[in-house]
Amino acid sequence: MAFMDLVFFDISIWVYLLLFVVAFFAGAIDAIAGGGGLITVPVLLAAGLSPAEALATNKLQGCAGTVSASYHFIKKGQVKLSDMWFAIAMTAIGAISGTLLVSYLDSSLLLKAVPIILIAVAIFFFFLPKVQPYIASRFSLTNLQFSLIIGTGIGFYDGLIGYGNWSVLFYCVSLFYGVNRCFRNGSY
């Protein structure tokens, strides 16, 4: 038996190699612009993982980047952790709620929903630059409102599906706070 004919957990070594390459590529894209999950989730589903397994694998992969980025911003003093506890708590509540919901949803429903959500996220990013100036000129949120509404909402989405959530968060920060503030003090 040749090495390339090996099978682990009913998955060919070729599939593992492809998943490794895709994960590397998606990680690079995620580090540069975010949205690596938009690449990995469909590939994981195509490889035969259930929707819950694909979403969980994507989330575990994304956690490494999140921990690394958080450590970097805290260490550089760009984010004061003491100012972020309420936002972190609201995001965690949303994420736990989304994760609990996805664990109870039927896999066949998730299989149908994932492509629809991918398309919806793509449409969101396509139209957002056109409506961003209008929204930014009409609405603003306090830190408390942002944490309650956007933090909880993005946490829920992240727990439920999760791909593209950092890009959505960045756009929400730029919509309701302005990009300059985000870059100036490294937090919202």
Side-chain angles (χ1 to χ4, degrees), residues 12 16 58 60 94 97-98 106 154 157 165 183:
S12 164
Y16 283 112
N58 181 60
L60 180 61
S97 301
D106 182 28
I154 287 178
Y157 173 76
N165 63 312
F183 284 125

Side-chain angles (χ1 to χ4, degrees), residues 31-144:
I32 295 167
L38 295 169
I39 297 167
T40 57
V41 170
V43 173
L44 290 167
L45 290 170
L49 274 70
S50 74
E53 291 169 333
L55 294 172
T57 300
N58 181 60
K59 184 49 49 205
L60 180 61
Q61 176 181 320
C63 285
T66 300
V67 169
S68 174
S70 298
Y71 175 77
H72 169 77
F73 285 122
I74 292 167
K75 183 179 175 187
K76 296 286 185 181
Q78 293 175 313
V79 172
K80 288 175 44 180
L81 194 55
S82 60
D83 294 343
M84 300 302 294
W85 285 114
F86 185 70
I88 291 168
M90 296 315 303
T91 304
I93 289 169
I96 291 166
S97 301
T99 302
L100 290 173
L101 178 60
V102 82
S103 69
Y104 289 106
L105 291 176
D106 182 28
S107 289
S108 63
L109 176 66
L110 281 173
L111 270 175
K112 293 174 186 170
V114 166
I116 294 168
I117 294 170
L118 277 170
I119 292 167
V121 169
I123 291 169
F124 171 80
F125 286 120
F126 178 76
F127 284 110
L128 188 63
K130 295 167 182 53
V131 297
Q132 183 177 5
Y134 175 80
I135 294 171
S137 69
R138 303 280 191 293
F139 301 99
S140 66
L141 298 175
T142 66
N143 287 347
L144 178 68

